[in-house]
């Protein structure tokens, strides 16, 4: 099962290496790992997308929790949450195909951010699934280059936040 | 005992100002604050400022011959006293030499703080002389590590290091100190208030879980307590004994849990697992309620997992939530400190007659006792057996790793916690000699013995020089079977007796010892063994006793890799 796990970590050198090293040493597979700043200058947020059965995910949460510089962990498995993945993609789009491609981009509420003679640079964000659906549709036109940020996430509403917090303290 | 396990400690009373002190002076002040009694290590360029302060310090320093030795000394000191062991090494090779010692302590949850010198903070990353990425190298083998780049953070970081090392599930912490940080003067009053927002070990067990566990125990007909080093670390042996006695529950221990119960007690089943006793292993396979306390279901303990304790409800009490349900699915988890949980659980344990169950175990005990032959060569087991008797089962005993380690565990007769000093998790050959020296420093009034193998002793025996120099009367007893015996045993049993790279010729260790300035003794005849041991124990100062033992002896019982505990090979015991 796919889990989105968010970890608040201390903004110190070596913390990313520690977490990445722990994942490698324990053989956990991660789909993506994003690090960014938060509202608090001393804390960063890592958002990790990992796959595995409940037992593996439980170990991932617990092993993360053991790292001294990890301040708080939240698994979004059972809460309603919003996730976003941002993609930039250069699509092959010669003049005769351009409007087709633009139509698809519009359907996905993407934006064309740069136009060249034979290609378009597209920006698209949304849940991972939406981004993937777009990539599948656009692939036949020819993807020249693609970059994604990986997922960041936050729970919806106050209630969801409470539930996430409860889940975290029972472990 | 590492009993100060409550949250973040308050900082000490506001003493005289430390503003303007050098980093090395602040370092020293923090060691005094922590009550450090002794420091082990080796000097070098990047730690010169620190040693300049230690020169006039009331804290004695022990100069080992190798940094690995210093780390194991700090470890042996910590395991035998429950206090935090401290060691120092210089940057680069000094730090990498510590690695085996850190990994050993990490696997066995030993509280240690290691300080390493580092090149100047502004040189880091330039491949400067004796630069190594010490925090990078040691990150996976320490509980925590960090590098101090600002002198203002030094005091606090050291305070945090000791706190992390001794609380929760203890472990080694490494603090890397660039030389400019120890040389420079602190322009402000150094901050010593720990700041660890992510570190809150859960010590208090959940009441509902404690009750559920007690109910499961009360309902069980054939319960077994499976006890690991966590009980000893928590200082909870007395509480454990009380529960066993109240409920008439037999107790088996892991290698690191030896001494949590007195093996004189009829409830003590000795060790379980790969080389555990037949009666402990059969009891575990037959139990209807396995109560794991401070143990982690290591593969050397469980054998083949899907046949381990097949009929049992499993209760697991551990301070480390990540240990719970890692290998074995647990029915009743209780997270917290055994010293908190066990006394609270005791109230709910019903006294129960379990004589039928105990009688069944006793039958196994009588049918398959631990025993050894007494013809031909001196048997390694009889050396340990005799030593146990001659020291009233009261010595502190360190070991190397191999067959002799298992025989020590099986035959010494453990009576109290913190008596066995052995590398369980990592299985570090060479641990015994330096760890025994560290234990002797921490226990000047106790008899400290290193029961070592010829292979293991070879790796770190240079530290006998340290015992001589500092007059530590450790008795090093080398069970020389001419082999890297444990590996030879595997080759005999699983590799068609193709003895590849296990023959291990040794020098005359007694002569080497004499050359080192210790007393050296040698024995190869059974008729002289008793006297040789007596002389070893009665001679002042460090003694090395070289015992020539049967090269072909194997450790039994043995559960082969991939087999269940009930499928153990009893060898000669059957
Ligand atoms: C540092 C290290 N290297 C290698 C091993 C693998 N190993 C395990 S037991 C053993 C043999 C130990 O020989 P010895 O110390 O003579 O003990 P014996 O088994 O003969 O009693 C070896 C090589 C190890 N555990 N540790
Ligand atoms: Mg040997």
């Amino acid at each position: 099962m796919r889990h989105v796990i968010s970890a608040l970590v201390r903004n110190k050198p070596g913390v990313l290496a520690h977490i990445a090293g722990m994942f490698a040493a324990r053989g956990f597979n991660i789909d993506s790992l994003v690090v960014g700043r938060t509202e608090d200058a001393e804390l960063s947020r890592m958002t990790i997308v990992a796959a595995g059965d409940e037992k593996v995910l439980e170990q991932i949460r617990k092993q993360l929790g053991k790292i001294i510089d990890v301040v708080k962990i939240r698994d979004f498995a059972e809460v309603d949450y919003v996730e976003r993945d941002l993609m930039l993609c250069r699509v092959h789009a010669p003049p005769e195909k351009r409007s087709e491609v633009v139509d698809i981009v519009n359907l996905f509420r993407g934006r064309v951010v740069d136009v060249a003679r034979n290609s378009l640079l597209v920006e698209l964000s949304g849940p991972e699934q939406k981004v993937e659906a777009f990539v599948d549709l656009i692939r036949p036109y020819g993807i020249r280059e693609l970059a994604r940020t990986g997922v960041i996430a936050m729970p919806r509403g106050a209630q969801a936040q409470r539930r996430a917090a409860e889940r975290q303290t029972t472990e | 005992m590492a009993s100060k396990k409550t949250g973040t400690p308050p900082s000490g009373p506001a003493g005289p100002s430390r503003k303007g002190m050098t980093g090395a002076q602040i370092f020293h002040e923090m060691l005094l604050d922590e009550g450090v009694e002794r420091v082990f290590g080796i000097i070098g360029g990047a730690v010169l400022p620190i040693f300049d302060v230690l020169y006039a310090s009331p804290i004695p320093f022990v100069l080992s011959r190798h940094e690995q030795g210093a780390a194991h000394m700090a470890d042996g000191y910590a395991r035998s006293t429950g206090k935090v062991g401290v060691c120092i090494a210089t940057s680069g090779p000094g730090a990498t030499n510590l690695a085996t010692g850190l990994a050993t302590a990490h696997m066995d949850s030993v509280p240690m703080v290691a300080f390493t010198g580092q090149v100047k903070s502004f040189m880091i990353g330039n491949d400067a002389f004796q630069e190594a990425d010490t925090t990078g190298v040691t990150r996976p083998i320490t509980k925590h590590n960090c590098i101090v780049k600002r002198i203002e953070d030094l005091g606090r970081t050291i305070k945090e290091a000791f706190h992390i090392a001794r609380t929760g599930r203890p472990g080694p912490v490494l603090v890397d100190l660039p030389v400019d940080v120890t040389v420079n003067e602190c322009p402000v009053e150094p901050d010593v208030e720990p700041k660890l927002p992510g570190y809150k070990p859960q010590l208090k067990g959940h009441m509902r879980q404690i009750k559920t566990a007690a109910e499961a125990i009360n309902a069980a007909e054939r319960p077994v307590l499976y006890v690991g080093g966590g009980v000893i670390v928590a200082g909870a042996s007395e509480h454990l004994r009380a529960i066993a006695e109240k409920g008439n529950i037999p107790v088996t221990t892991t290698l690191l849990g030896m001494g949590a119960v007195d093996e004189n007690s009829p409830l003590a089943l000795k060790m379980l697992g790969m080389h555990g006793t037949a009666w402990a292993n059969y009891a575990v396979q037959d139990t209807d309620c396995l109560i794991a306390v401070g143990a982690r279901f290591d593969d050397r303990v469980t054998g083949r997992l899907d046949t381990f304790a097949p009929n049992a409800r499993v209760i697991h009490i551990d301070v480390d939530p990540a240990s719970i349900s890692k290998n074995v699915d647990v029915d009743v988890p209780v997270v917290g400190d055994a010293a908190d949980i066990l006394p609270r659980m005791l109230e709910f344990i019903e006294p129960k007659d379990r004589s039928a169950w105990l009688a069944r175990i006793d039958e196994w005990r009588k049918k398959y006792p631990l025993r050894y032959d007494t013809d031909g060569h001196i048997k390694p087991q009889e050396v340990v057996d005799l030593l146990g008797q001659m020291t009233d089962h009261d010595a502190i005993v360190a070991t190397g790793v191999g067959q002799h380690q298992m025989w020590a565990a099986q035959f010494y007769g453990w009576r109290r916690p913190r008596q066995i000093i052995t590398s369980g998790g990592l299985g570090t050959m060479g641990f015994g000699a330096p760890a025994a020296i560290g234990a002797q420093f921490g226990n000047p009034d106790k008899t400290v013995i290193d029961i070592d193998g010829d292979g293991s002793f070879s790796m770190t025996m240079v530290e006998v020089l340290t015992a001589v120099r500092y007059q530590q009367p450790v008795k090093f007893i080398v069970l020389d079977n001419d082999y890297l015996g444990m590996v030879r045993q595997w080759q005999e049993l699983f590799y068609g007796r193709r003895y590849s790279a296990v023959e291990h010729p040794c020098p005359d260790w007694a002569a080497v010892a004499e050359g080192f300035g210790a007393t050296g003794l040698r024995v190869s005849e059974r008729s002289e063994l008793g006297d040789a041991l007596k002389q070893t124990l009665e001679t002042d100062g460090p003694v090395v006793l070289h015992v020539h033992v049967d090269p072909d002896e194997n450790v039994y019982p043995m559960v082969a890799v991939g087999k269940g505990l009930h499928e153990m090979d009893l060898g000669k015991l059957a």
Side-chain angles (χ1 to χ4, degrees), chain A residues 10 18 55 59 62 66 70, chain B residues 195 320-322 324 329:
Chain A
R10 298 186 70 186
H18 195 166
K55 204 173 155 130
Q59 265 300 308
K62 286 174 168 178
K66 275 180 85 160
V70 173
Chain B
K195 201 162 107 193
D320 178 7
I324 288 175
D329 288 325

Side-chain angles (χ1 to χ4, degrees), chain A residues 10 12-15 17-18 25-26 42-43 55 58-59 62-63 65-71 169 171, chain B residues 139 143-144 146 149 160 164 169 195-200 202 320-329:
Chain A
R10 298 186 70 186
K12 281 173 39 181
V15 178
H18 195 166
R26 295 198 177 263
E42 297 197 357
L43 297 175
K55 204 173 155 130
E58 186 185 325
Q59 265 300 308
K62 286 174 168 178
Q63 294 296 343
K66 275 180 85 160
I67 296 175
I68 310 279
D69 289 322
V70 173
V71 176
T169 50
E171 264 164 23
Chain B
R139 193 169 289 127
K143 180 173 176 185
H144 182 63
C146 56
K149 290 200 172 149
E160 291 170 352
I164 292 168
R169 179 176 176 175
K195 201 162 107 193
L196 295 165
Y199 184 65
K200 304 170 210 87
Q202 187 182 334
D320 178 7
S323 282
I324 288 175
S325 291
K326 183 172 66 179
N327 300 332
V328 164
D329 288 325

Side-chain angles (χ1 to χ4, degrees), chain B residues 401-404 407 429 452-456 478-486 502 504 506 549 551:
Chain B
V401 168
Q403 293 180 310
H404 65 280
W407 286 316
M429 285 173 71
D452 224 332
D454 49 301
S456 300
V478 185
L479 302 181
D480 179 5
N481 52 5
D482 300 323
Y483 280 114
L484 299 172
M486 185 56 92
V502 289
H504 192 260
C506 282
V549 297

Side-chain angles (χ1 to χ4, degrees), chain A residues 9-126:
Chain A
V9 305
R10 298 186 70 186
N11 185 6
K12 281 173 39 181
V15 178
L16 174 61
H18 195 166
I19 291 177
M22 186 277 286
F23 275 97
R26 295 198 177 263
F28 298 142
N29 279 318
I30 44 179
D31 294 342
S32 70
L33 191 161
V34 180
V35 199
R37 295 189 201 172
T38 64
E39 72 284 1
D40 182 341
E42 297 197 357
L43 297 175
S44 305
R45 184 178 300 284
M46 283 194 190
T47 309
I48 299 151
V49 180
D53 58 24
E54 183 44 42
K55 204 173 155 130
V56 171
L57 267 304
E58 186 185 325
Q59 265 300 308
I60 292 181
R61 290 191 296 268
K62 286 174 168 178
Q63 294 296 343
L64 275 172
K66 275 180 85 160
I67 296 175
I68 310 279
D69 289 322
V70 173
V71 176
K72 197 168 175 185
I73 303 151
R74 176 185 281 167
D75 187 331
F76 290 114
E78 281 159 25
V79 295
D80 194 11
Y81 68 99
V82 181
E83 70 168 58
R84 288 293 176 267
D85 185 1
L86 172 65
M87 179 198 69
L88 291 174
C89 173
R90 194 184 309 283
V91 188
H92 181 67
E96 68 275 16
K97 292 280 181 192
R98 190 174 291 160
S99 58
E100 263 180 61
V101 172
V102 170
D103 278 352
I104 296 175
V105 172
N106 287 338
L107 274 173
F108 278 80
R109 297 200 194 142
R111 287 203 309 153
V112 174
V113 289
D114 188 33
V115 184
R117 206 149 62 90
N118 280 318
S119 69
L120 295 175
L121 182 58
V122 177
E123 171 197 312
L124 182 81
S125 80

